[in-house]
Amino acid sequence: MNTQMADRVPVLITGGSLVGLSASLFLGRLGVPHLLVERHAETSRHPRGRGNNLRTMELFRVAGVEQDIRDAASVLADNHGILQAETLSGGEQEWLFREIDPGGGLARFSPSGWCLCSQNDLEPVLQRHAAELGDVRFNTELLTFEQDADGVTARLRDRATGEEREVRADYLIAADGPRSPVRERLGIGQSGRGDLFHNVSVTFRAKRLADVVGDRLFIACYLTDPAGAGALLPVDNREQWVFHLPWHPERGEDVEDFTDARCIAHIRAAAGVPDLEVEITGRAPWHAAERVADRYSAGRVFLCGDSAHEMPPTGAFGSNTGIQDAHNLAWKLAAVLGGWGGPRLLDSYGVERRPVAVQTAARAAARSVEHQHPGFDAAPVGGPRTNVLAVALGYRYVEGALVGADATAGVIPERFAATGEVGTRAPHVWVRDAQGARRSTLDLFTDAPVLLAPAADGARWPDAARQVAAETGVPVRCFLVGEGGDLRPEPLPDAPSGARPAGPVAPVGWPASYGLRPGGAVLVRPDGFIGWRATGAVGDPVAALRVGVRGVAGLS
C-alpha cells in the first residue's frame, strides 16, 4: 500500500451522486478549485430520483447544462401525471393529477420547466460537466478526516489500487447519503418522525406491458390491488420499467425474500395479465423517512442532500432540496474563498436551508398520505392538499444572509406568489439587453450580488453600487431596467386560456413584481434570492445599500 505526499484543494466533496455532482458543477462554474471523491466506480445504474422541479432546472439553466439534461430526458418528455388504478388492465382508474402544468401557465413564472430525468440519465450529464470544471474521481473513498481552525485533513483511498493519499482542504462538503459517515463522525443528531415506509425497487423488462399501458403515458401509476400493490414507473415507455413493491421489515420481511418469482407474480397481478413475460434485471431497497440533521455544519464541514435530510419521494422534493442545498452553499464558499464573503456568511447556510428541509419533509410526507403511496399506511387527514409549486418556488429564508426579511412569515406558503420580498426567490421577467438578446432576470444572478433599479428614477443607484463595492470589496453589479436603461423588460403575455384560475398569483411585470415604487431598488444574491430591498426612494442610497450589501456578504 503506497502513500502519496499531501495535496491541497480549497474544497473537498465526498459523495458523487446527484447532490455531490451538482455541488461540483456549481463550484466549478464559480471558478472554485475542488476535488470530488465517490466510492462507487460509476454513476448510478438504477432509474430513480427522476422529478426535477422548476427551481432545480433554473439552477441547471444558469449553470449551462439545462439543455443537455433535457436531451438526456427526451425519452420521457411526453410522460405526465400520476395515475391510480386497481390493476393496469382493470376499469377502475383515476388521475391524481393529469398535467404538471395544465395550459402552460407556469411559463409566466419561470424560464424553465419541469423535467422528468431519471438519476441514471442525469448523473452522467452532471459528471461530464463537473469533470470539465473540477477534479472528479470515482472509485475513491474518504477513509478519515480531521479538522482544525484552518482546514480539514482527509485520507483518501483509490479502491482499484489500494493507494492512499492525504488531502488538505479548506472546507469539506459531505454529500455522502442518508447514512452519512461524516455526519456520524461529527456527532450530529437527527430529528423527525424517522422511517415512514419501505419499498423494494425492482427493475425489469416486459415488452408486452407497453400494450397494456397504451396511451396512458404517466410519470407513475399507483396500483392498489393487494396482490399487486405498488408503483409502476416507465423507463423507456417500451420494455424497461421499475416497480416499487411495499416491503415490511417490521413484520420480519427481508430483502432476500423478494425473489424473482415473487416479484414476477406481483408485477403480473399489478398489470392484470397472468401470463405477462417479465425479466427481473435488478432490485434495490429504499426507505422513506422524515429526518433532518440537527445542524448542517460543524466547523469547516458541511452537510448537503441526504446527509442533511431525508423525506419521502412523493413530489420529488428530496433530490431537489439537496441540489438547492448545494447551490446555496456553493456561492457562499466561492464568496469566502474569493475574499468578499465575511465570517458570518457560511453560518447562514444551515440557518437558511434547515428550516426549508424541515417544512419540505413534512410536505412530502403529507403528499404521500394524499396520494396513498403504496406501503404507507398513514390515515388520510383533512385540509388543503400540498401545493407543489409553493414548495418548489415559494420557499423563503426568514433569516440568514439578508436584511429586512419578515421573521414572522412562513418558510413555505400555502400558495405560491411572486412578490419580490426579501428572502424569496427573485421573480422571473423577460428582458432585452442593449444588443437585443433576450434574457430572464434569473440569468443575471450568477457569481455576485446584483442591484436592480427602475431606469426612469434610479439614476443614483449605479453610483451607490460603485461606491459601496469599493468600500466593502463586494463585487456588486447594477442594472437599470426600463426604457433607456441597461435592460428593457418585455410586456407580459396574456394568461393561457387553459390555465386554472385557482393557480398561483400571477406576476405583474417589472418593477411591480419586485415590489418597487419610484426610486426603489432591490439587491439579489448570486443564488437568485432577494437579499435586501428599498421599496421606494431613500434619502441616502449609499448608506442604505451599504447595509444591504454587508448583510448579504456576511460582513455584519
Side-chain angles (χ1 to χ4, degrees):
M1 186 179 295
N2 299 321
T3 302
Q4 292 184 336
M5 295 295 290
D7 293 332
R8 186 171 185 92
V9 66
V11 180
L12 171 64
I13 304 168
T14 177
S17 190
L18 288 178
V19 174
L21 288 170
S22 295
S24 174
L25 173 68
F26 298 145
L27 286 170
R29 182 185 65 84
L30 294 170
V32 177
H34 61 279
L35 167 65
L36 180 148
V37 296
E38 164 56 50
R39 65 183 304 274
H40 292 98
E42 58 186 13
T43 55
S44 175
R45 292 186 176 184
H46 202 83
R48 54 186 175 184
R50 57 178 54 195
N52 300 283
N53 67 30
L54 283 171
R55 182 60 189 149
T56 293
M57 294 309 295
E58 289 173 355
L59 302 184
F60 287 146
R61 170 191 172 91
V62 174
V65 300
E66 181 183 23
Q67 189 56 53
D68 284 356
I69 292 171
R70 295 197 182 279
D71 291 344
S74 60
V75 69
L76 297 178
D78 294 328
N79 290 64
H80 298 279
I82 302 292
L83 180 67
Q84 187 174 76
E86 186 175 8
T87 69
L88 274 175
S89 57
E92 294 187 17
Q93 57 180 272
E94 174 191 4
W95 287 98
L96 298 179
F97 67 89
R98 187 65 185 90
E99 296 283 344
I100 293 178
D101 182 16
L106 294 183
R108 294 167 59 83
F109 301 93
S110 176
S112 300
W114 297 80
C115 180
L116 196 64
C117 188
S118 297
Q119 188 167 341
N120 59 309
D121 293 322
L122 176 55
E123 284 187 359
V125 176
L126 297 178
Q127 182 191 31
R128 182 173 72 252
H129 284 276
E132 294 172 355
L133 300 169
D135 190 352
V136 176
R137 303 192 187 190
F138 276 57
N139 216 21
T140 304
E141 63 182 330
L142 173 68
L143 297 176
T144 63
F145 70 93
E146 300 288 344
Q147 65 171 317
D148 53 47
D150 300 316
V152 179
T153 301
R155 181 161 291 278
L156 311 177
R157 178 170 63 198
D158 185 312
R159 301 187 73 205
T161 66
E163 181 179 2
E164 293 185 12
R165 57 184 289 212
E166 197 173 81
V167 170
R168 179 72 172 170
D170 293 307
Y171 301 98
L172 169 64
I173 297 176
D176 54 347
R179 309 294 175 258
S180 171
V182 171
R183 186 190 66 237
E184 292 181 2
R185 182 180 179 88
L186 294 172
I188 296 177
Q190 297 171 286
S191 302
R193 291 191 291 170
D195 288 344
L196 301 177
F197 58 94
H198 313 269
N199 277 202
V200 173
S201 179
V202 177
T203 57
F204 67 98
R205 291 190 181 92
K207 294 182 179 179
R208 288 197 291 139
L209 189 57
D211 295 332
V212 180
V213 172
D215 61 359
R216 296 172 293 178
L217 297 181
F218 45 73
I219 297 172
C221 179
Y222 295 155
L223 288 310
T224 61
D225 184 279
L232 175 67
L233 294 80
V235 175
D236 62 5
N237 286 322
R238 296 187 300 276
E239 62 180 71
Q240 297 186 64
W241 309 84
V242 176
F243 199 94
H244 295 323
L245 283 74
W247 167 35
H248 296 282
E250 74 279 3
R251 302 176 188 171
E253 283 189 333
D254 196 270
V255 175
E256 282 68 30
D257 296 333
F258 289 80
T259 62
D260 283 4
R262 174 179 174 177
C263 293
I264 290 171
H266 199 105
I267 292 167
R268 285 173 172 170
V273 182
D275 63 346
L276 182 69
E277 296 176 2
V278 177
E279 176 192 356
I280 305 299
T281 58
R283 58 179 59 78
W286 57 267
H287 312 274
E290 186 181 337
R291 295 189 185 93
V292 178
D294 296 334
R295 291 180 291 142
Y296 270 34
S297 64
R300 291 174 170 262
V301 183
F302 300 87
L303 306 181
C304 257
D306 287 349
S307 69
H309 46 73
E310 296 177 73
M311 56 191 74
T314 317
F317 297 138
S319 59
N320 287 283
T321 302
I323 291 167
Q324 292 156 28
D325 289 340
H327 192 261
N328 182 288
L329 180 58
W331 80 263
K332 293 173 181 177
L333 285 170
V336 171
L337 291 165
W340 61 267
R344 296 182 58 229
L345 187 57
L346 293 178
D347 293 338
S348 72
Y349 167 64
V351 170
E352 294 177 355
R353 294 303 302 169
R354 187 177 184 279
V356 172
V358 170
Q359 293 295 317
T360 303
R363 297 292 184 99
R367 193 166 177 81
S368 292
V369 175
E370 293 163 6
H371 284 189
Q372 299 177 325
H373 194 286
F376 194 19
D377 298 327
V381 295
R385 297 174 70 90
T386 299
N387 185 308
V388 176
L389 192 61
V391 180
L393 287 186
Y395 68 86
R396 65 193 298 161
Y397 305 134
V398 297
E399 59 178 323
L402 34 81
V403 176
D406 180 0
T408 66
V411 173
I412 296 177
E414 292 301 318
R415 188 168 174 232
F416 171 69
T419 64
E421 294 176 68
V422 173
T424 66
R425 161 192 165 275
H428 152 66
V429 177
W430 286 116
V431 295
R432 298 274 180 176
D433 63 20
Q435 288 72 44
R438 190 181 195 231
R439 307 168 70 182
S440 166
T441 46
L442 302 186
D443 298 333
L444 305 173
F445 316 131
T446 56
D447 58 352
V450 170
L451 185 69
L452 300 177
D457 45 32
R460 295 194 298 168
W461 289 112
D463 287 340
R466 283 189 289 270
Q467 183 171 331
V468 172
E471 289 179 6
T472 61
V474 179
V476 182
R477 293 197 294 268
C478 182
F479 295 94
L480 296 181
V481 185
E483 292 298 329
D486 306 294
L487 302 169
R488 179 169 49 84
E490 292 188 350
L492 281 172
D494 294 333
S497 58
R500 292 173 296 182
V505 177
V508 290
W510 170 267
S513 62
Y514 279 74
L516 299 181
R517 302 190 301 273
V522 61
L523 185 68
V524 185
R525 310 185 323 181
D527 60 351
F529 274 72
I530 307 287
W532 167 88
R533 182 175 68 170
T535 56
V538 297
D540 187 344
V542 172
L545 182 59
R546 183 186 298 118
V547 172
V549 168
R550 291 185 63 84
V552 165
L555 298 172
S556 59

